[in-house]
Amino acid sequence: MKKYILNRILRSLVSVVLVTALTYTIVYTLVPVGLIFKQDPNYNKMTTTPDKKAAYESLTFQRMGYINYFSSKELKDNASKIDSSVTTEATSANKVIYEKYIHSLGNGWQLKRFPVSKKFYATRKIPIYERVWNFFSNLVVIDHPWKIQDKNNPNLARYVRLENDKSIGWSLVGSGTQHKYLVYANGKFPYLHQNLVTLNLGTSYPTYSNIPVLQVISQGQGRTALQDVTFPSGATKKSSVDIYSRTYKNPKSMDDITKANYGKGDSYTKTINNYVDPSMIHNSFVIGFFGVLIAYVIGLPLGLFMARFKNTYFDRFSTATMTFMLALPSIAVIYVVRFLGSMVGLPDSFPMLGASSPKSYVLPALILGILSIPSTVIWFRRYLVDLQASDWVRFARSKGLSESEIYRDHLFKNAMVPIVSGIPASIILAIGGATLTETVFAFPGMGKMLIDSIKSANNSMIVGLTFIFTVLSIVSLLLGDIAMTIVDPRIKLSTKKGGK
């Protein structure tokens, strides 16, 4: 079994790399780069300042991985290594020095000039294969005491140790690390948290501008939540600060309020906020889980009765109904259920009641369940019908067992093996396939985020969500195999021929 799991993990890693690399290549080569600025209000404000606009474009392209970029100052500092007389001024002498420096760099670097000031800057278009490599090479981030290299803070202490912190209690804390708290526990799921190893899926832009992709989908939403927070200074205040999220920030930039909360010279004062509403991941998981639950609670008994009364009017009518539902466009089901739900007082849009009301989740989860019921029913019925022809079923009948006993004590138990195997995958498919439902209901989940990202050309978010969906799908298949062996210990996971 260990060998099987190892081989499955290795094959899964290859699949994740291939799917993500393909998505990355398509998104970053076929989507016009100019589209990324359409929903950026800062960019639109710069139409009257061409130099700032050009610099902003280059900085944004660099942040998104399209180019390497040297601003006028950076170019001057680098070129001064070959000629200390160089300045940032737009002179012919400086141009000669810059051209010499750019030529020494090679590798596609180009010298450019701002449209108004005529000052110099340099860019290099990064080939797509190099961008894909950069994505994967920077994907896994390991925090350590030498992570932060700040020349303006040369005396930064460097350590990792277990400490009874004033703010959060016992935890593994670091200095010189990116995160202050490397391992800690609190009352939020999954209760034990770590920042030693994190994923870097890129930076979101233009929506949720300059926020890491993983942070966008994993942090709360809506209004900031005020709660009692104990700061390192020992003071307890009402604040929206997520004290567990402390990361490095040069202490020279501290204002008076920060000094009062953290103490003078504290290097870990950068935080994110707590929010009232749950994260996108949480929202998508909730409706995905309950959608699958609805599909199984309704679909399995219905499939069982259809197989039990095979070829009766009930079976024929149910089969025709399920076939019709399969053929029905998803958007039609969504709008019909949405209309009927609104007739009984359920909100037809998530923002009507918000995350604080369970009613906001009812219709999206119900729709996901209804969309999954037909395939669940038809598949389960067919599997039970196939089992009816088995020798052990005929043997059970010859022993005098009734049909009800055969179905209850034998057929259903055997049929549950593949059902249990498919539960994790069904949940993940419901989460990943909820894009249309979430969009119609303005439901703040990962599915809607994917659609919004495509509309706004948020390439980093598209690639990041694709990576997450791919990983979850593959992990769900492995969990399904393991669950199958738990339900039926006779099944052995093996890499041998003929094994599962």
Side-chain angles (χ1 to χ4, degrees):
M1 181 174 177
K2 291 181 180 179
K3 187 176 180 181
Y4 171 86
I5 293 176
L6 179 60
N7 287 336
R8 189 66 177 264
I9 291 174
L10 292 176
R11 292 197 299 268
S12 299
L13 289 175
V14 172
S15 299
V16 170
V17 169
L18 291 177
V19 171
T20 307
L22 179 61
T23 303
Y24 194 104
T25 302
I26 292 173
V27 167
Y28 279 89
T29 55
L30 299 184
V31 177
V33 294
L35 291 178
I36 66 177
F37 296 110
K38 287 183 65 176
Q39 296 192 26
D40 184 351
N42 294 324
Y43 179 78
N44 296 326
K45 293 176 183 177
M46 296 179 182
T47 53
T48 58
T49 53
D51 282 11
K52 288 184 178 180
K53 185 176 180 180
Y56 188 81
E57 286 178 350
S58 297
L59 282 170
T60 301
F61 287 142
Q62 178 179 243
R63 194 181 300 119
M64 296 187 68
Y66 282 103
I67 65 171
N68 294 129
Y69 167 62
F70 289 152
S71 65
S72 296
K73 184 179 183 306
E74 291 171 331
L75 183 61
K76 177 255 181 185
D77 292 340
N78 291 333
S80 63
K81 297 175 183 178
I82 62 173
D83 192 328
S84 59
S85 65
V86 69
T87 66
T88 59
E89 299 304 316
T91 64
S92 56
N94 284 333
K95 181 180 179 181
V96 172
I97 298 172
Y98 285 139
E99 287 177 340
K100 182 179 179 181
Y101 172 69
I102 292 298
H103 180 73
S104 68
L105 291 178
N107 202 23
W109 279 95
Q110 293 181 327
L111 184 65
K112 297 182 178 181
R113 306 183 78 162
F114 288 108
V116 177
S117 67
K118 302 301 180 182
K119 288 185 177 181
F120 299 96
Y121 67 99
T123 63
R124 170 184 172 265
K125 186 177 180 181
I126 303 176
I128 187 62
Y129 65 85
E130 187 176 330
R131 280 184 255 166
V132 173
W133 169 255
N134 290 339
F135 175 82
F136 285 107
S137 61
N138 296 312
L139 180 62
V140 179
V141 180
I142 301 175
D143 212 350
H144 54 82
W146 290 268
K147 183 72 175 177
I148 300 299
Q149 298 295 329
D150 186 353
K151 61 182 180 181
N152 294 319
N153 190 9
N155 298 321
L156 178 65
R158 301 188 182 277
Y159 60 79
V160 172
R161 65 192 182 200
L162 190 64
E163 187 176 291
N164 189 6
D165 186 80
K166 292 181 180 179
S167 299
I168 69 170
W170 285 103
S171 56
L172 187 67
V173 301
S175 183
T177 52
Q178 180 68 36
H179 299 85
K180 177 66 175 178
Y181 304 120
L182 302 176
V183 180
Y184 61 91
N186 61 16
K188 294 182 179 179
F189 182 84
Y191 310 115
L192 183 64
H193 309 265
Q194 65 84 30
N195 288 312
L196 283 168
V197 181
T198 54
L199 289 179
N200 173 25
L201 298 178
T203 303
S204 179
Y205 179 87
T207 53
Y208 298 91
S209 183
N210 302 326
I211 301 177
V213 168
L214 196 59
Q215 180 182 327
V216 171
I217 62 176
S218 61
Q219 73 177 7
Q221 305 175 82
R223 296 179 292 105
T224 54
L226 293 177
Q227 56 188 18
D228 290 330
V229 177
T230 301
F231 288 93
S233 63
T236 300
K237 304 177 181 179
K238 286 286 185 181
S239 175
S240 62
V241 166
D242 180 4
I243 199 66
Y244 298 96
S245 67
R246 292 172 63 190
T247 53
Y248 178 81
K249 185 177 181 180
N250 192 295
K252 292 182 179 179
S253 61
M254 296 175 72
D255 55 26
D256 292 338
I257 296 177
T258 305
K259 289 178 182 178
N261 289 336
Y262 295 89
K264 186 177 180 180
D266 195 307
S267 298
Y268 290 85
T269 59
K270 185 178 180 181
T271 59
I272 61 176
N273 289 326
N274 284 307
Y275 294 89
V276 173
D277 298 340
S279 66
M280 296 180 190
I281 291 179
H282 174 275
N283 287 339
S284 293
F285 180 81
V286 167
I287 63 170
F289 174 79
F290 283 103
V292 171
L293 185 63
I294 291 170
Y296 276 50
V297 167
I298 297 176
L300 295 185
L302 183 57
L304 176 65
F305 280 112
M306 288 170 63
R308 172 71 175 81
F309 301 103
K310 182 180 64 173
N311 295 329
T312 63
Y313 286 113
F314 171 75
D315 178 41
R316 292 169 184 168
F317 175 77
S318 299
T319 301
T321 303
M322 294 300 109
T323 304
F324 172 76
M325 290 180 65
L326 278 175
L328 203 62
S330 298
I331 190 67
V333 175
I334 292 172
Y335 276 104
V336 168
V337 175
R338 184 189 186 203
F339 172 75
L340 295 176
S342 65
M343 297 292 289
V344 296
L346 293 173
D348 59 5
S349 177
F350 186 88
M352 288 180 64
L353 298 179
S356 60
S357 174
K359 290 183 179 180
S360 300
Y361 296 86
V362 173
L363 287 182
L366 181 61
I367 288 171
L368 291 180
I370 291 174
L371 291 173
S372 300
I373 285 174
S375 57
T376 302
V377 170
I378 291 176
W379 181 85
F380 193 53
R381 175 196 177 278
R382 183 176 60 190
Y383 190 74
L384 286 171
V385 169
D386 290 340
L387 286 179
Q388 288 178 9
S390 302
D391 292 337
W392 56 270
V393 173
R394 288 195 292 267
F395 179 72
R397 288 195 180 102
S398 68
K399 290 177 62 178
L401 294 179
S402 66
E403 288 297 312
S404 297
E405 290 175 319
I406 292 173
Y407 271 87
R408 183 183 66 248
D409 299 332
H410 298 283
L411 281 175
F412 188 76
K413 287 183 178 179
N414 281 275
M416 282 306 296
V417 173
I419 291 294
V420 170
S421 173
I423 288 176
S426 297
I427 295 175
I428 300 305
L429 287 173
I431 294 173
T435 53
L436 192 57
T437 303
E438 291 185 4
T439 301
V440 170
F441 282 88
F443 187 86
M446 291 191 293
K448 182 178 180 296
M449 186 72 246
L450 180 59
I451 298 298
D452 291 344
S453 299
I454 294 172
K455 290 179 180 178
S456 61
N458 190 338
N459 297 341
S460 297
M461 187 65 70
I462 296 171
V463 174
L465 288 173
T466 300
F467 175 85
I468 291 172
F469 287 144
T470 305
V471 170
L472 290 177
S473 299
I474 290 173
V475 169
S476 70
L477 294 176
L478 180 59
L479 292 177
D481 287 348
I482 295 174
M484 188 166 54
T485 63
I486 295 174
V487 173
D488 189 349
R490 295 173 299 175
I491 298 176
K492 303 295 182 183
L493 299 180
S494 172
T495 56
K496 297 179 181 179
K497 290 184 177 180
K500 289 292 287 183

